[in-house]
Amino acid sequence: MNWCPSCQTVLANEQVVQGLCERCDSVVTKKALTQWYFKVTDYADRLLDDLDTLEGNWPSKVLSMQRNWIGRSHGADVNFEIEGRSEPVTVFTTRPDTLFGATFMVVAADSALAAELVADSNPDIQKQFVSYLEMVKQSNDIERLATDRPKTGVDLGRFAINPVNGEKLPIWASDYVLADYGHGAIMAVPAHDQRDYEFAKTFGLPIRNVVDVKDENGQSIDPILAGVPTTGSGTVINSGPLNGLEKAEAIEKISALLETDGKGKKTKNFRLRDWLISRQRYWGTPIPIIHCEMCGEVPVPVDQLPVLLPPAEGLDLKPKGTSPLGGATDWVNTKCPKCGMDAKRDTDTMDTFVDSSWYFLRFLSPNSTEVAFPKDEAKAWAPVDQYVGGVTHAILHLLYARFVTKVLHDLDYIDFEEPFTRLLNQGMVLMGGSAMSKSRGNLVALSEQLDEHGVDAIRLTMSFAGPPEEDIDWADVSPAGSAKFLARAWRTANDVASAPGVDFTDGNGELRKATHSFLRDFGPLIENFKFNVGVAKIMELVNALRKAIDGQAGPADPAVREAAETVAKALSLFAPYTAEDMWQKLGFKPGVALAQLPESDLSLLVESSIIAIAQVDGKVRDKFEVPVDISEADLRDLAMASDLVKKAIGDREVANVIVRAPKLVNIATK
RNA sequence: GCCUCCAUAGCCCAAUGGCAGAGGCAGACGACUUAAAAUCGUCAAAGUGUGGGUUCGAGUCCCACUGGAGGCACCA
């Protein structure tokens, strides 16, 4: 399993990023240990298929990352008899159509199968194998990930029988086959697989073309002459009963044939591995298992849960490869719940991702000592309607929580199968293109920014900089500009000369229109997380308000008060201090956050006329003011009568006239 | 190698398939001022990365390419 030499603990696959520990960036090595797993693979199909139900509500990036990570591939299991072994060896392949092209077999060097096969081989080979295995074990994930790594391996001196043609295939051991994917063994078809091809070239193994793949000129490519394997689709050749079939047909036929003969079957495989939850750390939840010499591994009975951590005093908490809990002798030594004999507690703790996989349910009853969460509360409140978090958890927390949710559902604790209905990945604040980090430090000192511009301006700057899911480069934004805008908005509240409660009805029409079109647009923008556009709309309204105060309407116009109150209420979402001050300057008691934005009076926004545009072949040629209820025929006639339109049409023939009353006419010419 | 997302004025960003501009930063000019700052106002500035396609009409839909960001990767 994955081992972090710095944290001195094992890690789950999801916690190894590019060969490095997710927590501390140390190079992860391999270590053989007996550990606890959650069988996530049993849920692989559902975790994958249910992603479809989140489509549109989760970022597509996260959906694709999870699909990628789960990595389902369809293919077939094929059983190969092994000379001198009673049991056949099963291999998984996505290309059973190329079975006739198999020229050797490869087993994972670090698998039990390789060790077993070599044990019955000759001593020379055994010696080679042992030293090869030693070399493999010493390589870390970084080396394994190198793309230009030459193929290595050892001929085990054993043979497999191809079930379709009885051919003897030499069996090799190599590290390019993974022990924990599929069955840890593959059939090698060098003519049609890049890795098998490289291996065959390195060790002089035969290459047999069984798929006639054509190049762009329609010429057949011979993998041996071309020097590259042909991995694309084509017609099957040199393959007995499969000859002449296309890829999909051949896969169906060979799968059926294998099944009939009991030599294989259609199946699927996943990239997803089971979740290794044991950690050799003090923090975390103790694994509730008691090890008894007589009864084996016994779960702690429900009435003794939860198992609490022993006090940390006196324990060696430094990472040392074994759990610090091992030092808590009084805690470790216990009685077997089954037979009552002396027994020992499991000293590992659970991955903290286990806890974060259901914490949102615990929020429903944080003080309950009886249950983790009450069923009826979960039914009433969960799932989470809107979740906000960083994309860094796309395949960690968000996959684990989905898994735990499905398990809880199956155990009938909850009635939903997905924990988070909607997901937003917020972006990061960058500086000059660089993310801030432990090594680079805080490139933008938040406290200094707050001191300089004030918390309202900083919050507004972040909201206004762009869509919340995008990163913000602090070098591109202007907190000083935000502060300036807030001052401008604030000043309007001071200018208002009418009293609270004044009737808005007779206020300046133009400003009222601006206020109510703002009210129409603002709510949906906020609900759809378009905060940057929402802020822009407030700015727009402030501009209109300023103009009205300085212009014809004047500070005493009721519409000025209406607009200023609206600005204060809307602004309270982004700049609560400024908004509150405006609110009180406007003569209200404290609490702008509790003041509701009024409904938009749509009747104020009804126009009697509108500017219609006339296009010729999609290009705007003329505009005219028309009644909003103009008929299509009238609008068409108006457009056709326009001199500018006539000029644009010239002597061409009119082919089609599209009318979208009252806004647009488009005249298409031949 | 496979997959996903993105590309709009100098910059950050808006735009139910229907007039490319809502908002801001930076800029130019004007008013106020003895002057400056602050404030108020006016203006200028892309034809939407490139090439095709669909459509009456494309920033928006489709294909290819270029550039950028990200994910997965000896997964058979």
Side-chain angles (χ1 to χ4, degrees), chain A residues 6-75:
Chain A
S6 166
C7 297
Q8 291 277 305
T9 183
V10 294
L11 297 172
N13 257 28
E14 288 79 9
Q15 288 150 22
V16 181
V17 180
Q18 299 286 303
L20 304 178
C21 170
E22 174 249 345
R23 280 186 65 88
C24 71
D25 288 344
S26 305
V27 175
V28 171
T29 59
K30 298 284 174 189
K31 194 163 182 171
L33 285 169
T34 303
Q35 301 277 284
W36 290 101
Y37 288 84
F38 279 161
K39 206 156 176 16
V40 182
T41 48
D42 274 3
Y43 283 74
D45 272 319
R46 284 165 68 189
L47 286 168
L48 185 63
D49 294 337
D50 289 354
L51 288 172
D52 294 347
T53 69
L54 301 171
E55 202 75 58
N57 292 318
W58 277 35
S60 55
K61 182 182 179 181
V62 174
L63 295 177
S64 98
M65 281 169 74
Q66 291 216 359
R67 290 191 177 107
N68 219 332
W69 185 261
I70 295 166
R72 179 164 59 196
S73 35
H74 296 276

Side-chain angles (χ1 to χ4, degrees), chain A residues 331-530:
Chain A
W331 182 85
V332 170
N333 291 321
T334 186
K335 299 290 178 197
C336 172
K338 233 173 174 177
C339 68
M341 300 289 281
D342 285 348
K344 288 184 189 305
R345 290 187 189 280
D346 200 295
T347 55
D348 285 347
T349 53
M350 289 186 221
D351 183 1
T352 49
F353 278 108
V354 174
D355 306 306
S356 60
S357 292
W358 66 278
Y359 77 96
F360 48 93
L361 292 167
R362 181 62 181 176
F363 281 2
L364 301 173
S365 60
N367 299 317
S368 171
T369 54
E370 298 302 309
V371 290
F373 59 89
K375 251 172 144 168
D376 55 333
E377 298 279 1
K379 202 177 172 73
W381 292 97
V384 176
D385 296 310
Q386 176 66 54
Y387 206 39
V388 179
V391 73
T392 45
H393 283 137
I395 47 177
L396 287 160
H397 169 56
L398 291 171
L399 186 67
Y400 295 144
R402 293 184 61 228
F403 161 68
V404 168
T405 298
K406 287 177 194 307
V407 172
L408 290 173
H409 170 268
D410 292 354
L411 294 172
D412 199 29
Y413 286 105
I414 51 181
D415 61 356
F416 50 91
E417 293 202 49
E418 286 293 337
F420 313 121
T421 308
R422 290 218 299 173
L423 174 67
L424 173 79
N425 288 138
Q426 87 281 20
M428 293 185 296
V429 175
L430 310 179
M431 187 60 197
S434 300
M436 303 180 215
S437 66
K438 274 180 244 166
S439 52
R440 288 171 181 275
N442 290 334
L443 300 172
V444 180
L446 181 61
S447 55
E448 286 170 19
Q449 293 290 307
L450 291 172
D451 285 347
E452 194 175 343
H453 306 289
V455 61
D456 274 4
I458 297 305
R459 198 180 342 232
L460 188 77
T461 301
M462 294 209 191
S463 309
F464 182 56
E469 57 270 23
E470 304 273 299
D471 289 346
I472 298 169
D473 197 322
W474 206 250
D476 292 336
V477 298
S478 172
S482 297
K484 223 168 93 176
F485 162 71
L486 288 174
R488 181 173 159 90
W490 181 83
R491 280 193 302 270
T492 63
N494 292 272
D495 291 338
V496 172
S498 56
V502 67
D503 183 7
F504 300 141
T505 320
D506 295 327
N508 178 278
E510 208 176 324
L511 183 56
R512 291 214 73 199
K513 203 178 276 185
T515 300
H516 284 267
S517 84
F518 169 85
L519 289 169
R520 179 193 57 201
D521 298 340
F522 189 68
L525 287 171
I526 299 308
E527 278 160 29
N528 290 305
F529 290 86
K530 296 189 159 191

Side-chain angles (χ1 to χ4, degrees), chain A residues 58 86 135 151 216 245 269 422 495 519:
Chain A
W58 277 35
S86 54
M135 193 193 85
K151 292 281 179 289
E216 56 271 26
L245 296 178
N269 248 299
R422 290 218 299 173
D495 291 338
L519 289 169

Side-chain angles (χ1 to χ4, degrees), chain A residues 281-282 286 307-317 320 322-334 343-349:
Chain A
R281 285 173 174 148
Y282 176 77
V307 178
L308 300 177
L309 285 169
E313 286 98 61
L315 296 184
D316 177 11
L317 299 183
K320 57 183 184 299
T322 57
S323 173
L325 298 187
T329 329
D330 291 350
W331 182 85
V332 170
N333 291 321
T334 186
K344 288 184 189 305
R345 290 187 189 280
D346 200 295
T347 55
D348 285 347
T349 53

Side-chain angles (χ1 to χ4, degrees), chain A residues 118-129:
Chain A
V118 82
D120 289 334
S121 202
N122 75 54
D124 263 7
I125 290 175
Q126 288 181 13
K127 235 165 121 182
Q128 276 179 49
F129 176 78

Side-chain angles (χ1 to χ4, degrees), chain A residues 604-622:
Chain A
L604 290 173
L605 304 177
V606 174
E607 306 275 0
S608 60
S609 65
I610 188 173
I611 305 292
I613 57 169
Q615 300 177 327
V616 177
D617 292 325
K619 290 199 179 67
V620 178
R621 297 301 183 185
D622 202 1

